[in-house]
Amino acid sequence: MTTTRRAALLAAPALLLGSRLARAQAWPTRPVRIVVPYTPGGVSDITARLIAEPMAAAMGVAVPVENRAGADGVIGTEVVARSPADGHTLALVSVGHPVNAAFYRLPYDTMRDFTFISLTTKTPLVLCAARGFGPSTPAELVAHAKGRPAGQVTFAGTGGVVRLAPVLFGQRTGIEMTYVPYRGSTQAHPDLIAGRVDIMFDTVPAALPHIQAGTLKALATTGATRAPQLPDVPTLGETVAGFEASTWGMVMGPANLPGAVLDRLHREITAAVTRPEVVARHRALGAEVVTSNPDETRSFVQAEMEKWGAAARAAGVQPQNAG
């Protein structure tokens, strides 16, 4: 090998790195919008708005947040799937992203059509019931259900993971419960408090006011660790090993984002979401800030799609057209 050829080969990695850094420095060239495929006011929307300002300051361009709600998030998510893979259009989605694959015939592929950047938050559910409901622990609930005809115990559900978490719980404990559908937590809570439906796996922020008021009781939370807002309430995993069912937030972009752009986005998103004031704001909402690298994020979403897909099939869910 000639000295010239050897020098060229040794220089190649540095040139590649330099090219990647140059592309990163040239990006962004215009505003970076974050599409939230849900209505304003939810955790996903709040997260997007909390990280947009520090991201804009760091990148030197505006970072507008755009709510594109409809079809349980499908409409806004499709906007991002069809956007150019240049890093100027992102989505901040929830657990609904993989769950929708079980409920709808989607106009995009849940995994293939996106670049996964980082998780942002996790919010546990809480297994709750009326104050007068007999069982007060998960073990007592299982014994109560097994001592009655299959399906006699009822659970309120509002779709998505709130509907599927009780199915997963039933699969893991060998009990069968009957699903009672509601449009939302606001509609379900009066019947739950009155005992017209037995239990509900609801988000901690939605159920917490009723738990604090004493009209509902918490049997367990569903995160990997105890919820800071309910430190005396055990996790369901303490009774059913390995059980976890959380809602969460995650930032993604169109498939095939350039590596340098992905690196920059990951750096700015994780820096923004871990700022102390952002962590504190999320904790007040009942959510914990978490981050992950792109490979970890993709693996997590894939595992969530498989878990909730299996629960949906067990529940007899038939995919419908979105829209």
Side-chain angles (χ1 to χ4, degrees), residues 152-226:
Q152 190 176 93
V153 173
T154 58
F155 69 89
T158 59
V161 70
V162 172
R163 174 183 176 183
L164 296 180
V167 177
L168 184 63
F169 176 64
Q171 288 178 311
R172 297 291 302 276
T173 57
I175 64 173
E176 184 178 335
M177 300 181 290
T178 297
Y179 167 53
V180 181
Y182 291 88
R183 290 182 61 84
S185 295
T186 302
Q187 290 73 33
H189 288 164
D191 282 356
L192 187 64
I193 291 167
R196 289 187 287 270
V197 63
D198 292 321
I199 67 164
M200 184 175 187
F201 282 71
D202 205 356
T203 62
V204 170
L208 190 60
H210 298 294
I211 294 169
Q212 292 173 331
T215 53
L216 291 178
K217 62 181 177 182
L219 282 66
T221 55
T222 64
T225 59
R226 294 192 178 196

Side-chain angles (χ1 to χ4, degrees), residues 1-115:
M1 182 182 294
T2 66
T3 301
T4 301
R5 179 169 173 76
R6 183 182 296 109
L9 289 173
L10 290 173
L15 290 172
L16 180 62
L17 178 60
S19 175
R20 187 165 177 169
L21 288 173
R23 287 195 300 271
Q25 289 167 355
W27 181 91
T29 59
R30 61 180 187 276
V32 176
R33 66 169 172 162
I34 302 177
V35 175
V36 177
Y38 319 111
T39 55
V43 174
S44 296
D45 179 65
I46 292 170
T47 301
R49 295 179 189 283
L50 286 172
I51 67 174
E53 184 176 347
M55 286 178 64
M59 297 189 299
V61 296
V63 181
V65 175
E66 180 180 334
N67 295 93
R68 294 290 295 271
D72 285 342
V74 174
I75 291 174
T77 303
E78 184 181 12
V79 169
V80 177
R82 305 294 176 237
S83 294
D86 57 12
H88 291 98
T89 301
L90 309 174
L92 203 155
V93 298
S94 72
V95 65
H97 179 66
V99 168
N100 279 344
F103 282 86
Y104 297 110
R105 300 182 190 96
L106 298 171
Y108 50 79
D109 186 279
T110 302
M111 300 300 300
R112 189 176 59 245
D113 288 340
F114 301 95
T115 300

Side-chain angles (χ1 to χ4, degrees), residues 234-298:
T235 67
L236 201 47
E238 293 174 42
T239 301
V240 183
F243 189 99
E244 183 178 357
S246 297
T247 62
W248 43 261
M250 182 262 295
V251 182
M252 63 186 188
N256 303 315
L257 286 182
V261 173
L262 177 59
D263 291 346
R264 178 78 186 278
L265 280 168
H266 183 266
R267 183 167 69 250
E268 302 302 351
I269 289 164
T270 55
V273 80
T274 55
R275 290 164 65 99
E277 64 274 22
V278 176
V279 172
R281 179 75 175 95
H282 281 100
R283 187 159 292 173
L285 296 170
E288 292 298 310
V289 166
V290 294
T291 60
S292 55
N293 67 42
D295 288 340
E296 292 168 338
T297 308
R298 170 170 285 276

